[in-house]
Amino acid sequence: MKIDGYTRLAAVVANPIKHSISPFIHNSAFEATNTNGVYLAWEVEATDLAETVANIRRYQMFGINLSMPYKEQVIPYLDQLSEEARLIGAVNTVVNREGTLIGYNTDGKGFFKSLPSFKISGKRMVLLGAGGAAKAILTQAILDGVSQISVFVRSASLEKTRPYLKKLQIETGFKVDLFALEDSQKLQDSITQADLLVNATSVGMDGTSQPIPTGIVLPKQLLVADVIYQPFETPFLKWARSQGNHAFNGLGMLLYQAAEAFELWTGKEMPTDQIWELLKQKYQ
């Protein structure tokens, strides 16, 4: 990697963030595509967020990625939002277009690109959870022409989830069905009719817990996905594969959301196959 007077900067901004593998992904992509750029991880206090965003213009950066807790807090400091970022209400990528700062959310696109040979258009999806990853996935599914979505959350989270789904319906005209995760019969009925089942919760990161009862029967045509990538195979994915279903972890989502951001910044395609092999060696 050559660093000189023409090198442009990109960064991921969050707190904490030093553990991030985004620098590994993007610096590998800069090098592979012969792009004169460097990508860093910036652990920024909330009081410094406005100044950090201003520095994108000041230093003529490509832009930044954002993770928790700044995906929503950054919005007031931006000039424009993409459609998906506006609907999700969160930004994970800021692009510097000649001094105009545009907020995007590439998480949903990255998720669906990580599912080989699967198109959500006209399909039915069951989504577990309603946090940031879930919002990005369900919003992108709506934009991509999904036919039906059932969201399952714990009963204690039902009232907190309804306002967002109502806002989404007003904005898009698409009604998302919301159910309590404790309703096993409704969960089974929805999964039986679904084409895609997604765990968008953190349940399983401990390597032992399951987001749904293992007594649930998965139809053979069902594709199963988990947004978690550490552990590489969660109990949820192991269980799905034991039933004969194809199942994918969240490492592909992480890679492809980064690829979307990289292309927005540079106009170049990230060599995802090459970087995927490097990531598998690192995490499998």
Side-chain angles (χ1 to χ4, degrees), residues 256-269:
Y256 283 99
Q257 64 80 26
E260 289 287 312
F262 185 82
E263 188 165 351
L264 286 167
W265 289 331
T266 66
K268 299 179 181 180
E269 285 190 23

Side-chain angles (χ1 to χ4, degrees), residues 107-250:
D107 284 333
K109 285 182 181 176
F111 172 77
F112 285 109
K113 283 196 172 183
S114 76
L115 305 179
S117 306
F118 180 85
K119 301 296 181 188
I120 194 62
S121 177
K123 303 292 199 329
R124 301 168 73 95
M125 178 171 73
V126 171
L127 185 63
L128 310 177
K135 286 178 180 177
I137 291 167
L138 76 89
T139 299
Q140 193 62 49
I142 292 169
L143 293 175
D144 289 349
V146 69
S147 67
Q148 192 268 335
I149 302 174
S150 297
V151 172
F152 285 82
V153 298
R154 301 211 174 274
S155 54
S157 299
L158 285 169
E159 292 309 310
K160 185 173 71 175
T161 304
R162 282 196 176 98
Y164 176 73
L165 298 184
K166 184 66 176 175
K167 172 179 172 286
L168 206 53
Q169 184 179 352
I170 292 168
E171 293 277 352
T172 66
F174 189 96
K175 184 179 185 300
V176 176
D177 299 315
L178 178 65
F179 305 105
L181 194 53
E182 292 85 352
D183 188 342
S184 297
Q185 188 57 57
K186 177 57 71 175
L187 181 62
Q188 178 66 80
D189 293 344
S190 298
I191 286 174
T192 299
Q193 299 175 49
D195 301 286
L196 175 65
L197 169 63
V198 184
N199 175 37
T201 76
S202 60
V203 178
M205 287 184 75
D206 59 3
T208 57
S209 54
Q210 278 270 23
I212 60 175
T214 55
I216 294 287
V217 178
L218 303 180
K220 292 302 178 188
Q221 85 284 354
L222 185 73
L223 184 66
V224 178
D226 200 326
V227 300
I228 298 168
Y229 62 91
Q230 287 184 288
F232 199 77
E233 183 179 62
T234 60
F236 175 65
L237 294 181
K238 187 174 183 179
W239 165 72
R241 288 171 181 144
S242 75
Q243 293 207 40
N245 295 83
H246 290 295
F248 297 89
N249 69 15

Side-chain angles (χ1 to χ4, degrees), residues 39-55:
Y39 187 104
L40 302 174
W42 287 350
E43 207 159 87
V44 170
E45 297 296 332
T47 51
D48 293 328
L49 182 61
E51 190 69 17
T52 300
V53 175
N55 284 338

Side-chain angles (χ1 to χ4, degrees), residues 1 25-35 262 268-272 274-275 278:
M1 180 181 294
I25 292 173
H26 283 282
N27 286 319
S28 298
F30 282 144
E31 191 166 1
T33 59
N34 198 29
T35 300
F262 185 82
K268 299 179 181 180
E269 285 190 23
M270 181 182 282
T272 49
Q274 178 182 337
I275 296 173
L278 295 174

